[in-house]
Amino acid sequence: MTSIMQSETQPQLTDASTALGVAIINSKAPFSSNAGKDALDVALLFGSFEQKVSLFFQGDGVYQLIANQDGSLLAIKDYLKTFSAFEFYDIEDVYVCQQSLIERQLSKTFHIDNVQVLTNKAFAVALSKHKHVLRF
C-alpha cells in the first residue's frame, strides 16, 4: 500500500465551501478558431447572472490580450474590443501566465486594464481556488 504525502510546494486546493465560482481558461490564439469568442460569451453570460467569473490566459491565449489586432483581415468580427465591458459584468479577476508571455516574447502591455501577470505556480494556485474550470 502506497502512502501519498502532499508536499508544501504544491498548490493548496480550496474546499468546496470557500471555492470561487467559474474559472475560464483561454488557451487559443484569438482568430485561429471560435474558442476565444466562445470563452468571452460564456464569461459575459455568467457575469450577467452575477456569478463570480475569473479569466485565465495561457499558451497562445495570451495573444487575446495584445492590443491593435485586426480580425477583419480574416473576415472575422473583432470580439477583443468587448473585453473592455468586463467592469460592467463585474469580471475583475483576469490572470495571464508569465511564462506564456516570455515564450512568445510579448510585453506586459494589454488592451485592457488590471491584468495580473502570474508565475506558473501562482497561476496554478489561483486556478485551484475555483469550483468550476472551463477550458477554451
Side-chain angles (χ1 to χ4, degrees):
M1 188 158 140
T2 306
S3 173
I4 299 175
M5 296 179 55
Q6 185 170 356
S7 168
E8 289 182 32
T9 60
Q10 292 179 342
Q12 297 296 317
L13 297 179
T14 305
D15 69 32
S17 64
T18 60
L20 298 174
V22 177
I24 298 176
I25 302 174
N26 292 275
S27 60
K28 306 281 190 245
F31 303 115
S32 65
S33 70
N34 289 334
K37 170 88 170 73
D38 292 345
L40 175 63
D41 289 345
V42 169
L44 297 180
L45 181 66
F46 276 108
S48 68
F49 286 100
E50 299 180 2
Q51 300 297 307
K52 176 70 175 156
V53 178
S54 300
L55 295 174
F56 291 80
F57 294 86
Q58 73 177 149
D60 286 343
V62 298
Y63 286 113
Q64 294 182 42
L65 297 172
I66 304 305
N68 302 320
Q69 298 186 62
D70 188 4
S72 66
L73 298 173
L74 301 170
I76 298 174
K77 184 178 177 186
D78 184 4
Y79 68 91
L80 300 176
K81 293 177 184 175
T82 309
F83 282 27
S84 62
F86 287 165
E87 66 180 284
F88 300 111
Y89 292 88
D90 293 326
I91 299 173
E92 300 169 346
D93 298 324
V94 179
Y95 306 103
V96 65
C97 175
Q98 181 181 45
Q99 187 62 37
S100 296
L101 291 174
I102 292 169
E103 288 171 0
R104 288 154 186 82
Q105 299 178 0
L106 298 173
S107 69
K108 296 176 185 176
T109 305
F110 309 115
H111 67 90
I112 58 173
D113 296 326
N114 302 321
V115 175
Q116 299 176 54
V117 178
L118 302 177
T119 63
N120 285 346
K121 182 177 179 180
F123 192 90
V125 169
L127 192 59
S128 73
K129 293 180 180 181
H130 291 78
K131 188 173 185 177
H132 305 285
V133 176
L134 304 174
R135 178 180 290 276
F136 291 87

